[in-house]
Amino acid sequence: MIVISGLTRKIPEGKTILDHVNTRLEPGTFIAVVGPSGSGKSALLKALALKEVWSSGEYRVDGKDLMEAGFFAKMKFRRQVAFLEQKPILYEKKSALKNVLIGGAEQTPIWRRLTGMVRSDDYMGGMDMLEHVGLLERAKQVVEKMSGGERQRIAIARALVHGARLVLADEPVSGLDPHTAEEMMQTLKKLCHEKGTTIVAALHRVELAEKFADEIWGMQDGRLIINVRGRRLTAAEKMRLS
Ligand SMILES: Nc1ncnc2c1ncn2[C@@H]1O[C@H](COP(=O)(O)OP(=O)(O)OP(=O)(O)O)[C@@H](O)[C@H]1O
């Protein structure tokens, strides 16, 4: 369980881009972060992914505050966190399976990234994960001609095969057609529930959040002003986010 309290990020110019954010992230939960442009969705995801530091507040993982944790504890946690970019960076000339097995920059040991070597038992894990994201039949194909949705699926499989317990996805469905976007959301939800992974996805489209997410977080001016579970947003809540 991850609990954050009072998480605040001020930038040198004086602006507060995260303002006392309090929330918890339970295993196996699919969380959608919505809010207007510039409200702090990406900033929150980056803070949760430890990509950017915060000015004050606590980030507790299984009861321990990361700020007070030692180097190795932080490194261990960092390896369990994956950040999915809108356009994942993949090895274009390698197969989907190879990308899943060797690509995870933070989670993969450096010797493996340099040599491209994989252990034979890892293949099973990689194939298993590609099946979970619906790409088993394409495991051996090179990724350069794959669609945006397929590339996202490979990036997700890659994160999970390397043991990510927390996946942050910044606009994972932007640029996808409506049908593919829904399929992607369905995949994310299924992975959360089947694998116990926590996925936090920033989304522009509230209706996708309402249809697929277990929890919806609403951001406004760097503050987390709405946090609802298992229901749609009310008209008043949507107004507050506009
Ligand atoms: N490193 C930074 N330096 C200065 N300002 C920043 C930095 N990162 C974010 N901001 C500002 O913080 C605010 C929140 O940005 P953020 O990218 O988190 O918004 P967002 O909700 O993800 O927006 P969008 O939906 O358009 O992607 C914006 O006003 C942005 O300009």
Side-chain angles (χ1 to χ4, degrees):
M1 163 92 77
I2 296 169
V3 180
I4 61 171
S5 29
L7 205 71
T8 297
R9 177 162 186 238
K10 291 190 174 148
I11 54 173
E13 295 82 24
K15 190 174 172 195
T16 302
I17 56 178
L18 287 178
D19 191 357
H20 293 91
V21 175
N22 301 310
T23 191
R24 62 177 53 207
L25 297 89
E26 287 175 24
T29 310
F30 183 21
I31 300 159
V33 188
V34 296
S37 187
S39 58
K41 302 183 294 296
S42 300
L44 179 58
L45 262 55
K46 284 180 191 156
L48 289 173
L50 311 182
K51 273 175 147 328
E52 285 178 356
V53 290
W54 49 94
S55 323
S56 59
E58 281 183 356
Y59 189 132
R60 288 191 174 273
V61 179
D62 301 331
K64 288 203 187 86
D65 186 2
L66 272 192
M67 291 300 268
E68 279 154 26
F71 174 78
F72 288 107
K74 272 190 203 139
M75 196 169 82
K76 184 169 165 228
F77 178 65
R78 214 179 270 275
R79 290 196 164 189
Q80 298 173 345
V81 178
F83 192 89
L84 296 184
E85 308 286 347
Q86 282 179 11
K87 290 198 164 58
I89 298 163
L90 302 174
Y91 293 99
E92 298 294 323
K93 303 284 181 199
K94 291 193 191 294
S95 69
L97 180 61
K98 272 266 167 150
N99 268 280
V100 168
L101 295 177
I102 64 170
E106 264 128 35
Q107 292 106 342
T108 311
I110 192 150
W111 66 267
R112 230 189 247 196
R113 270 183 276 145
L114 292 175
T115 61
M117 284 169 66
V118 290
R119 289 197 311 257
S120 58
D121 55 339
D122 288 341
Y123 274 94
M124 299 306 285
M127 294 296 270
D128 180 45
M129 207 53 77
L130 281 169
E131 185 174 17
H132 269 92
V133 299
L135 282 181
L136 187 59
E137 289 76 28
R138 312 205 54 190
K140 295 289 169 69
Q141 291 183 15
V142 290
V143 303
E144 65 183 344
K145 293 205 176 75
M146 290 195 179
S147 70
E150 287 162 349
R151 298 168 75 89
Q152 276 288 2
R153 284 166 192 274
I154 291 168
I156 293 164
R158 179 170 74 185
L160 296 182
V161 92
H162 292 284
R165 66 185 265 187
L166 172 63
V167 176
L168 294 313
D170 202 359
E171 291 294 337
V173 297
S174 76
L176 303 183
D177 65 74
H179 176 68
T180 313
E182 293 222 347
E183 276 184 356
M184 178 65 67
M185 294 293 288
Q186 189 61 51
T187 302
L188 293 174
K189 183 178 179 133
K190 185 171 82 94
L191 287 171
C192 281
H193 295 176
E194 287 177 359
K195 299 274 171 198
T197 315
T198 307
I199 299 185
V200 187
L203 295 173
H204 274 119
R205 289 169 53 196
V206 175
E207 67 279 8
L208 276 183
E210 290 184 313
K211 190 164 174 187
F212 294 99
D214 302 311
E215 269 178 41
I216 302 176
W217 297 353
M219 298 287 295
Q220 179 68 278
D221 294 331
R223 285 174 299 123
L224 183 62
I225 58 169
I226 290 166
N227 191 342
V228 301
R229 196 179 172 94
R231 68 164 173 83
R232 302 175 79 84
L233 297 182
T234 62
E237 285 166 341
K238 284 181 189 164
M239 278 289 287
R240 290 180 72 199
L241 293 174
S242 61

